[in-house]
Amino acid sequence: MGRGSFRLKGQICYSLDKDHIRTVKEGTVVCVDGISQGVFETVPEIYEGLPKEDFGDCLIVPGLTDLHIHAPQYAFRGLGMDLELLEWLETRTFPEEAKYSDLDYAKRAYTLFAEELKRGGTASACVFATLHVPATELLMELLDEAGIRAFVGKVNMDRNSPDFLREESARRSEEDTLLWLKDTADKYALVKPILTPRFIPTCSDELMDRLCGISEAYGLPLQSHLSENRGEIDWVKELCPDSLFYGDAYDKRGALKSPSRTVMAHCVWSGDEEIRLMKERGTFIAHCPQSNTNLSSGIAPVRRFIDEGISVGLGSDVAGGACTGIFRAMADAIQVSKLRWRLVDESQKPLTVEEAFYLGTLGGGAFFGNVGSFEEGYELDALVLDDSRCPHPLELSLKERLERFIYLGYDRCIVGKYVAGRKIF
Ligand SMILES: [Zn+2]
């Protein structure tokens, strides 16, 4: 289906930058060939002929970005949450991911996952699949059909995981990756491949070198995990004795700076040197507050990342996070930042509503290009929010209505969705 040209009228809110939300009462977003022409109080004459949808008193906001989610873990979200990362991977995650060698199982589970993303507020996502090529291609197809803009990664792992979920060698992993890239390059309108070494503990130096070589040769982005959990960090120290710190182990192989962006999830325990290095390399960070809480990983220093000018977005990290909703992730991010401020470091102020909304729209959207805003030239992704479904007797400004929506996180109040100028529902 092609990219449309139309006008959407309603109560409009979007981030101008991390500190400012623009609100326009009775505003109109104009979309031409899938690209926003801006928001107008009075629509210029040249656009008057475009078809119009009037959403009355509903809020209209940009589509949201989930910078870190595991599609095969959707099936068991909400389970095993008494464990920490390494034990949780061993007992819950690896046995479940192994099931994706069975394409019938993958189809059942990934269909539910794609349906969930379609119904919710996520317009763009960075998605981990499993190491299995056929199931990963199926997932890409289902997300494309669902109208979600996504980078999807066939996972690479050649050490320190059970026999049933480990590639036999770095070379074999590379061969499978090249085969997958050949099958999927330019095949889908909205879904693209992203290189996905799971994390240092399951990826040998040789494998990391081979993947970074592919990234260079094909100009591909890369996603992985960094400094999530203390046990994991100690393990990386043992595995990579020559590295100064966890991020340095990636950087030695060239993984922090792929030719078209790298995103690292978590960075809960990143110290001064690691933060400096990510800043230098232009690495994106996916902040996953619910997952970091569920797996008792800790509280990432997001205020610090923002103040340093590092690119940050939000991740649900299903199934470390139980919820796919990014409005919920915004509220979680604010709440854990308040705990960090009160309990860990009083010099680091909590996030504001403006900042959390920015992270879930423009901040994470930047990984995909001009995504996450209604400013002229951005891809037209929009959500229509009917907050009258959660009634109240107050007189609220648009900004207050948006704040309330973020804290309530009611995805059932999303009554319309557009991605890349195409109506999803
Ligand atoms: Zn993850």
Side-chain angles (χ1 to χ4, degrees):
M1 240 176 289
R3 293 157 166 265
S5 300
F6 48 81
R7 298 180 280 161
L8 305 178
K9 189 170 180 209
Q11 315 300 323
I12 293 170
C13 307
Y14 66 99
S15 286
L16 292 174
D17 56 45
K18 70 180 177 60
D19 297 315
H20 300 94
I21 294 173
R22 182 182 178 209
T23 62
V24 184
K25 272 190 173 180
E26 314 267 316
T28 299
V29 189
V30 175
C31 173
V32 173
D33 296 332
I35 304 295
S36 177
Q37 308 301 304
V39 173
F40 304 94
E41 287 172 58
T42 309
V43 176
E45 225 176 281
I46 47 164
Y47 302 129
E48 277 178 0
L50 295 177
K52 176 170 106 173
E53 288 211 64
D54 191 338
F55 291 104
D57 199 39
C58 288
L59 298 171
I60 302 179
V61 303
L64 310 179
T65 291
D66 186 340
L67 263 193
H68 187 72
I69 184 165
H70 295 259
Q73 297 175 17
Y74 176 71
F76 71 95
R77 69 207 176 109
L79 296 171
M81 302 271 73
D82 295 335
L83 304 171
E84 287 194 47
L85 175 69
L86 300 177
E87 204 185 349
W88 176 79
L89 286 173
E90 208 65 40
T91 58
R92 286 280 173 179
T93 309
F94 291 159
E96 178 63 25
E97 289 196 11
K99 294 183 191 168
Y100 289 76
S101 61
D102 172 356
L103 209 52
D104 288 335
Y105 184 80
K107 185 159 192 184
R108 275 193 285 149
Y110 281 159
T111 299
L112 295 172
F113 173 77
E115 187 57 33
E116 164 95 358
L117 288 202
K118 182 178 178 176
R119 279 197 317 266
T122 297
S124 309
C126 282
V127 184
F128 279 57
T130 62
L131 54 78
H132 312 98
V133 172
T136 303
E137 293 184 10
L138 174 70
L139 173 63
M140 294 172 87
E141 196 177 307
L142 290 169
L143 287 173
D144 198 60
E145 279 170 17
I148 303 296
R149 178 187 299 104
F151 283 120
V152 173
K154 171 227 167 308
V155 172
N156 300 91
M157 44 203 296
D158 70 339
R159 67 174 177 185
N160 293 322
S161 58
D163 293 349
F164 56 77
L165 194 71
R166 189 175 64 236
E167 295 171 295
E168 66 183 41
S169 66
R171 196 168 150 187
R172 184 65 204 275
S173 179
E174 180 188 39
E175 282 167 7
D176 275 2
T177 302
L178 290 170
L179 179 78
W180 163 65
L181 291 173
K182 192 164 155 246
D183 281 354
T184 56
D186 303 323
K187 188 171 176 187
Y188 311 105
L190 287 171
V191 178
K192 309 284 172 207
I194 181 168
L195 292 171
T196 306
R198 179 170 215 118
F199 66 158
I200 291 275
T202 62
C203 297
S204 65
D205 287 356
E206 185 192 346
L207 177 55
M208 290 300 300
D209 284 340
R210 286 178 185 270
L211 293 176
C212 289
I214 295 175
S215 170
E216 276 297 320
Y218 290 71
L220 290 175
L222 184 146
Q223 60 181 353
S224 195
H225 298 92
L226 175 61
S227 296
E228 176 177 1
N229 162 289
R230 282 175 153 167
E232 170 209 18
I233 294 167
D234 291 343
W235 195 11
V236 171
K237 259 184 213 149
E238 280 170 36
L239 290 166
C240 308
D242 297 343
S243 295
L244 302 169
F245 47 91
Y246 195 165
D248 185 50
Y250 282 116
D251 195 52
K252 277 195 162 54
R253 317 255 74 92
L256 281 191
K257 185 182 168 53
S258 69
S260 58
R261 302 190 183 111
T262 287
V263 58
M264 287 288 167
H266 307 303
C267 306
V268 172
W269 297 99
S270 296
D272 290 345
E273 288 173 297
E274 194 162 277
I275 291 172
R276 196 177 317 123
L277 187 61
M278 286 190 285
K279 188 179 174 180
E280 263 174 47
R281 299 290 185 255
T283 312
F284 276 67
I285 295 173
H287 175 44
C288 308
Q290 192 182 136
S291 167
N292 297 156
T293 306
N294 285 340
L295 297 175
S296 307
S297 300
I299 309 172
V302 184
R303 160 65 57 217
R304 174 92 190 272
F305 299 151
I306 292 174
D307 288 352
E308 294 272 356
I310 293 175
S311 302
V312 189
L314 297 175
S316 64
D317 193 27
V318 162
C323 306
T324 57
I326 295 297
F327 284 118
R328 166 73 193 263
M330 293 176 196
D332 289 339
I334 297 170
Q335 288 168 346
V336 300
S337 76
K338 288 175 179 169
L339 292 176
R340 189 176 167 97
W341 175 52
R342 189 57 76 210
L343 300 173
V344 182
D345 183 353
E346 292 212 317
S347 74
Q348 303 283 305
K349 291 276 183 216
L351 298 189
T352 60
V353 167
E354 283 85 351
E355 286 169 326
F357 184 61
Y358 170 85
L359 294 181
T361 56
L362 255 184
F367 193 77
F368 293 81
N370 281 341
V371 166
S373 170
F374 291 142
E375 290 285 279
E376 188 182 354
Y378 276 73
E379 302 260 339
L380 198 289
D381 303 340
L383 303 176
V384 182
L385 313 178
D386 183 2
D387 58 345
S388 72
R389 293 183 179 195
C390 315
H392 60 82
L394 310 173
E395 278 290 327
L396 299 179
S397 67
L398 293 187
K399 162 79 192 314
E400 286 172 322
R401 286 172 60 187
L402 177 65
E403 177 176 3
R404 180 173 176 269
F405 201 93
I406 288 170
Y407 273 94
L408 298 183
Y410 280 153
D411 277 14
R412 67 187 165 88
C413 298
I414 301 173
V415 296
K417 181 173 182 179
Y418 297 77
V419 178
R422 180 184 155 200
K423 184 170 182 154
I424 308 295
F425 61 81

